[in-house]
Amino acid sequence: MKKLDIKSFVAGLLLGTLGITTAFAAAEIRSASLCDTKVTLNGALLPLNKPLISVAMEGEQNEILYVPVNELLESLGYTTHYDNAKNSVDLIPGNGNSRESASHTVTSGSTVMDFASHPGQLNIAESGSFQVESNQTLVLNITSDIKGGSVDFFLFGPEGKEHRITIGSADMAKEIPLEKGIWKYNCSGMFKDGGNIKLVGTIK
């Protein structure tokens, strides 16, 4: 098993946000390779767009696993914002607010998600859950003109079945049949060349 420690967490933040050259500029690397190690959060698989990197440093016996922590933090409800002028990474809580509606069953016509990217920020991170009865459908209406990246919307059913929608610079509408139970969603991505995205989900 590959070693993961606090050093890898910090460097992983640099790796995920700024790129591998900046992250390792002052270090002596013996080898580095992409790996398909999975990341779980409380036992549930955490979908990541970027692969993990296994790095062997000079003078160290164990390899260190570098994680794209920008994605990890966004999944936990943070926005990672790189300020080029200040050469700094700002972690902003709240943009990825977890919107919980699972305490009661939603009815037809209810809005279970309604969120958008924040002006001036080139990413989005939102998550939440809702509970439905049998024979209901989630209607997604997505407005997007983002550029230089994409956003992934994941919807997880009561039994863990995954629905994934990759959103680019085009509007779209989707209908997803729902099973009775609690559904969870996660929406995250970066778009370095600007634009905005808005997603509204209603039950019918």
Side-chain angles (χ1 to χ4, degrees):
M1 179 177 294
K2 294 183 173 62
K3 181 181 179 182
L4 177 62
D5 58 14
I6 191 63
K7 292 185 295 182
S8 67
F9 186 89
V10 174
L13 173 62
L14 294 174
L15 173 63
T17 308
L18 309 180
I20 190 168
T21 302
T22 303
F24 299 126
E28 294 294 332
I29 302 172
R30 183 159 36 96
S31 66
S33 60
L34 300 178
C35 63
D36 59 359
T37 302
K38 306 299 181 185
V39 177
T40 60
L41 180 62
N42 292 328
L45 180 64
L46 189 65
L48 299 173
N49 293 322
K50 302 180 182 70
L52 278 60
I53 296 180
S54 178
V55 176
M57 310 296 291
E58 292 292 349
E60 294 190 13
Q61 183 177 358
N62 294 324
E63 295 182 358
I64 302 175
L65 196 61
Y66 286 79
V67 182
V69 179
N70 61 322
E71 285 192 80
L72 180 60
L73 289 173
E74 287 166 9
S75 298
L76 297 175
Y78 288 83
T79 291
T80 56
H81 178 65
Y82 176 56
D83 189 325
N84 187 56
K86 296 180 180 179
N87 191 30
S88 64
V89 178
D90 190 17
L91 305 182
I92 305 169
N95 186 29
N97 289 332
S98 180
R99 304 161 187 266
E100 300 292 336
S101 304
S103 59
H104 63 279
T105 301
V106 296
T107 58
S108 180
S110 298
T111 299
V112 293
M113 60 189 79
D114 184 354
F115 52 82
S117 55
H118 289 201
Q121 293 183 356
L122 305 181
N123 54 14
I124 187 171
E126 298 285 347
S127 62
S129 63
F130 55 92
Q131 183 171 336
V132 299
E133 294 292 343
S134 300
N135 301 317
Q136 290 185 309
T137 300
L138 175 65
V139 181
L140 290 174
N141 286 290
I142 302 166
T143 305
S144 175
D145 62 359
I146 60 174
K147 303 175 182 66
S150 63
V151 169
D152 285 311
F153 176 82
F154 293 92
L155 183 67
F156 301 95
E159 303 300 323
K161 182 179 179 181
E162 174 189 303
H163 299 264
R164 177 177 180 175
I165 300 172
T166 299
I167 307 165
S169 58
D171 299 346
M172 65 174 67
K174 297 281 186 180
E175 292 194 4
I176 302 174
L178 303 175
E179 302 170 6
K180 182 178 180 179
I182 296 176
W183 289 73
K184 299 180 180 181
Y185 64 86
N186 180 287
C187 184
S188 63
M190 303 183 71
F191 29 98
K192 62 182 180 180
D193 295 331
N196 295 282
I197 183 170
K198 180 177 176 63
L199 191 148
V200 178
T202 56
I203 300 297
K204 77 170 186 178

